[in-house]
Structures are given as structure tokens and as C-alpha cells.
Amino acid sequence: SRIESTHVLIIGAGPAGSVAAALLRQQGRQVLMLEKQQFPRFSIGESLLPQSMQFLEQAGLLQAVVEAGFQYKNGAAFACDGRHTAFDFRNKSSAGWGTTYQVQRADFDHVLALEAERAGAELRFQHEVLAVDVTGDKPQVTVRSPEGETYQVQADFLLDASGFARILPRLLDLERPSRFPVRGAIFTHVRDGIAPGSAGFDRNKILITVHPRHQDVWYWTIPFSNGNCSLGVVAEQAFLARYEGSETERLQAIVGEDPGLSRLLANAEWHTPARQIVGYSANVDSLWGRNYALLGNAGEFLDPVFSSGVTIAFKSASLAAACLERQFAGETIDWEASYGAPLRKGVDTFRVFVESWYAGGFQKIIFHENQNPAIREMICSILAGYAWDLSNPYVADAKRRLGVLEQLCAE
Ligand code: FAD
């Protein structure tokens, strides 16, 4: 069979793959993106964070995103048993973008992939990577074309952006279990029918609702610009397993347990069968190896509660592209120091907040009656995705600072 060659081979054309491709094209690299599916295709992960805008801008992809007409987003609202609080991302301590979008990922990912192609990356839909060999001088992959033929591609460097498929971690046995309990999500898109001006609802914000009786169960309502909402619930697998029927019936039953959400969605039209995904949290031994790196979800995935997935995917692409620029210029790169460790810094910030969320401490902080405005701006920065901003004490010293705040708010 034939063997092709390229500078950088990218597995997967999701957000991580497309941003990496666009950045590498700016450096003049030859880039081949292999994508198993035909776009547009559904993906979960629809609420972006303002920090992600910096990477879209850097990669030259922002104009296409703005022009695609997605739902403007300026914050996150939280509801719990009749209480409400909202963060406007523009009131944050970190510098940078304060607004972003809520996106149907089918369209968003397609826009990004086509822009990367327009920038000169070669994009092949329905080409699936089947096998990987990283033992030789150059990584080599086996690919199946839409016609069912297999061929080989050799690359100077391999970027795994295969998302939850986690091609390299699986094939190279790099997987390490996540420390989080096994949670799952049931979700769908509805025509929401929410009247403009409905109390406690703002289309420009994601709404996170905490279950009135189970503090570790929560719902997302993510409005789109076309009158639909993405609607989902996240809970431990054992909780979800108690509900019977179709995924739609199960989601409707759980939504029915929250009076506020039920009222909000009273006129919703459930036009799309709900789906379930379970056990999405994942981790790896290392985010890189000789001539390869793991981007986005192919590396680590924590939890959806802070909508951090796409932002982390972009950050990984940006860091990897910067390393590759230096490596292709002849420098010897310490990938742990320049890629693994800096990427994990922000992931670890989010981890502290995710743990606090499920233990209930974070809810006490955000619903607390007397909040220090300066501290609220720092928390807002994290919610806006600025989890790598070391000038924020809740990044630099996340665990200790959040712990102190939890105690203050518990009194
Ligand atoms: P993906 O977007 O998954 O892209 C990977 C691509 O690789 C796919 O297109 C796939 O077809 C392709 N591929 C797979 N295998 C192969 C192969 N063998 N050969 C070739 N191609 C292949 N994130 C947010 O930012 N905001 C949210 O609101 C949010 N909500 C979430 C809710 C839930 C319930 C979950 C589970 C996640 C959520 N996320 C959210 C996370 C988000 O979905 C991911 O972090 C994000 O999609 C990661 O992007 P990626 O580019 O790494 O991978």
C-alpha cells in the first residue's frame, strides 16, 4: 500500500485539531487533518468561555465564527431551589475577552475545519485512523479511506486531537483512570419557547440549575440563536440508572423534579430524541511522547460543569503549536516544561473548582449574601476560562484560596 508523508498529521478535526492546523499553517507547515466523520456532525460541548476567543483570534478563525451568527454569550447564571445568581464575564479581574458564544457544535466545528482548510491544511473527511506506530524515527499511522482502502501516512510530528475516541492513549496504553466518580449526562436540543424577559432567564447566559434535593446533580440550559436550547442533566451513573424509559422520558422526568426549570420549559417542544453519555472523564500518564502530543479531550477531560472543554482544547493546540514552531526551527524542546506542565496548570485550576462544586462548597460561595466584589471578580475570571492567569490568586493558589473562601461562606 502507498505511504504518504507530511510535516504534521492531525487526528480529528474537532476544535483542538482545527485550531492547531490553522496555527501551524501560519508557520508554513504542511498539515494533514484526518477526520473519521463527515461534517457537519453532532458534538456535545456547546457553551464557550471568553478565554477561548483569544485562541480563535490567534489562529485567524475568529471572523468566521463571528460571521456564523451564533448566540452571543456574556456570562453564567446559577439557580438552586428558588435562589439565583449571575456572573457577567465582563466584570472579571483578568484581562482579555469578556464575551463569547453558545454554538451548535455541528456548525461550529465545520466552520473551524473549513477555515483551517482554507488556510492551506489538507482536510480529509471520512478517513479513519486505525493504527499508530510511534516506535520508528517518524510516527506512522494506518488510515482507512471512505472507499475502504487502507494507506499509511508518515509525519514528522503527530497530534492526536481525536477527542473522546482517545486514539493514542488507547493504542499506546497511556490511559490512567480519572479520580472523579463515574458521572453521565442525558441531553437534547429543544425548541425552548421561553418568552423574552422570563424571570431568572437571560439568553445571553448559560443557566446552570442545581437539583433541589441533590447538590451534586445539575442541569444545563444553553440557549442558541435559533430559538432552541441545549438541555441536559449531569449526575452519577447510579442516579441516572434509577430512571426508566427512553432517554427523552428519563430527561423529562429529571427536569420535572425542578420546579423552576419545569416552569421555564413549560412550552418547550421536544423535537430531538435525547442521548446519554456516561463515563466521559479521562486522564493519561503523559500528554506527550517522542514526536507526538495529545490535544484537547484526547488528553484529559475533567467534567462539563464549568464549560471548560473547548477552551482547554484550544489552549492545548496553542501551546503545542508554539512548541512545534521552536522544534521545527531546530531547538530541542522540553515538552513537559513547555507543554505538559503549563497545560495542566489551568486544568488543575478547573479541577479544584469542579471538586468544590460537587462537594457543595462552590454553591455556598456563589449564593452567599455578602460577597466581596473584588473576590467575585476573581471567581468570575475562572468562570470566564482564565484558569492560566497566575496574577489571579484563585489560579496561583487555587486550592488554599478556595478552601478559605468556602469556610467563610459556610459560617
Ligand atoms: P472532539 O470535538 O471530540 O473532536 C474529535 C474529532 O476526532 C471528532 O470529530 C472525531 O470524529 C474525530 N476522530 C475520532 N476518532 C478518529 C479516528 N480514529 N480517526 C480520525 N478522526 C477521529 N465543553 C465546552 O467547552 N463547553 C461545554 O458546554 C461543554 N459541555 C459538555 C457537556 C458534556 C456532557 C460533555 C461530556 C462534555 C462537554 N464539553 C463542553 C467538553 C467538550 O465536548 C470537549 O471538551 C470538546 O469537544 C473537545 O474537543 P476536541 O477537539 O478535543 O475533540
Side-chain angles (χ1 to χ4, degrees):
S1 66
R2 65 195 157 111
I3 298 189
E4 297 181 36
S5 68
T6 185
H7 286 152
V8 182
L9 177 69
I10 303 178
I11 309 175
S18 291
V19 165
L23 290 169
L24 289 162
R25 283 303 303 150
Q26 290 175 355
Q27 302 169 20
R29 304 260 71 96
Q30 184 190 7
V31 178
L32 174 60
M33 305 168 77
L34 299 174
E35 167 56 54
K36 181 169 84 173
Q37 302 194 58
Q38 177 65 52
F39 283 14
R41 58 95 180 87
F42 177 85
S43 172
I44 195 66
E46 297 148 323
S47 198
L48 305 183
L49 301 179
Q51 164 76 88
S52 69
M53 302 290 272
Q54 182 197 325
F55 303 118
L56 288 170
E57 201 171 25
Q58 183 194 4
L61 300 170
L62 186 57
Q63 185 182 345
V65 170
V66 171
E67 290 179 359
F70 294 113
Q71 172 66 46
Y72 167 82
K73 175 184 175 188
N74 62 21
F78 297 87
C80 180
D81 212 6
R83 287 172 299 168
H84 287 268
T85 186
F87 287 81
D88 187 320
F89 291 151
R90 293 164 295 188
N91 302 327
K92 58 178 172 43
S93 60
S94 300
W97 284 83
T99 67
T100 186
Y101 296 100
Q102 306 192 127
V103 301
Q104 292 92 333
R105 286 285 302 278
D107 300 332
F108 179 73
D109 291 15
H110 201 194
V111 165
L112 297 188
L114 293 183
E115 281 299 299
E117 185 179 46
R118 220 164 58 88
E122 186 176 348
L123 170 63
R124 294 182 194 161
F125 286 129
Q126 294 180 284
H127 285 249
E128 180 179 6
V129 172
L130 301 175
V132 178
D133 181 357
V134 293
T135 57
D137 260 359
K138 291 186 175 189
Q140 186 165 317
V141 304
T142 307
V143 189
R144 183 166 53 211
S145 76
E147 296 75 33
E149 285 159 12
T150 57
Y151 61 96
Q152 315 281 317
V153 185
Q154 216 174 55
D156 295 324
F157 204 91
L158 180 59
L159 292 175
D160 183 4
S162 63
F164 292 117
R166 300 166 60 77
I167 295 300
L168 256 59
R170 287 207 177 134
L171 294 175
L172 303 181
D173 204 16
L174 307 170
E175 297 200 284
R176 173 154 42 93
S178 163
R179 292 205 330 268
F180 289 120
V182 179
R183 295 197 173 89
I186 308 178
F187 51 86
T188 188
H189 288 178
V190 296
R191 173 152 287 279
D192 56 75
I194 301 171
S198 291
F201 193 71
D202 174 358
R203 291 204 84 82
N204 299 331
K205 293 181 173 65
I206 185 175
L207 170 64
I208 303 287
T209 305
V210 183
H211 190 287
R213 292 187 310 281
H214 305 275
Q215 68 170 18
D216 63 336
V217 177
W218 59 275
Y219 313 82
W220 75 75
T221 319
I222 300 174
F224 295 131
S225 55
N226 66 353
N228 285 352
C229 266
S230 172
L231 171 67
V233 64
V234 171
E236 284 193 21
Q237 192 175 18
F239 179 94
L240 296 177
R242 284 193 243 145
Y243 295 81
E244 291 178 354
S246 68
E247 310 301 17
T248 301
E249 288 164 339
R250 298 168 69 207
L251 179 56
Q252 284 173 335
I254 306 174
V255 166
E257 291 174 4
D258 186 77
L261 203 52
S262 301
R263 229 176 295 122
L264 196 63
L265 294 169
N267 299 320
E269 182 194 325
W270 294 63
H271 54 63
T272 300
R275 319 184 185 194
Q276 171 173 261
I277 119 168
V278 169
Y280 36 68
S281 296
N283 207 343
V284 283
D285 285 328
S286 173
L287 290 166
W288 57 276
R290 184 162 157 261
N291 293 328
Y292 70 83
L294 311 179
L295 304 183
N297 274 4
E300 178 162 6
F301 181 72
L302 291 177
D303 187 273
V305 70
F306 295 117
S307 305
S308 56
V310 171
T311 300
I312 293 170
F314 285 173
K315 176 74 181 184
S316 71
S318 169
L319 285 170
C323 289
L324 283 172
E325 178 160 34
R326 290 162 51 206
Q327 182 156 315
F328 282 123
E331 265 185 67
T332 302
I333 302 301
D334 178 343
W335 277 81
E336 191 51 38
S338 301
Y339 180 70
L343 180 58
R344 284 205 200 268
K345 179 67 204 168
V347 175
D348 288 343
T349 306
F350 283 121
R351 187 191 327 279
V352 169
F353 281 75
V354 168
E355 283 170 354
S356 171
W357 171 268
Y358 285 105
F362 189 73
Q363 284 95 315
K364 290 205 175 69
I365 294 171
I366 60 173
F367 288 115
H368 199 261
E369 278 174 19
N370 300 310
Q371 294 188 38
N372 176 320
I375 291 179
R376 200 168 154 92
E377 286 179 8
M378 293 174 195
I379 300 292
C380 189
S381 281
I382 310 285
L383 294 176
Y386 293 92
W388 291 267
D389 174 9
L390 290 169
S391 74
N392 184 346
Y394 290 87
V395 173
D397 196 9
K399 191 148 187 82
R400 195 184 64 80
R401 293 295 293 242
L402 200 63
V404 169
L405 198 53
E406 280 176 359
Q407 276 186 346
L408 284 173
C409 295
E411 281 159 14

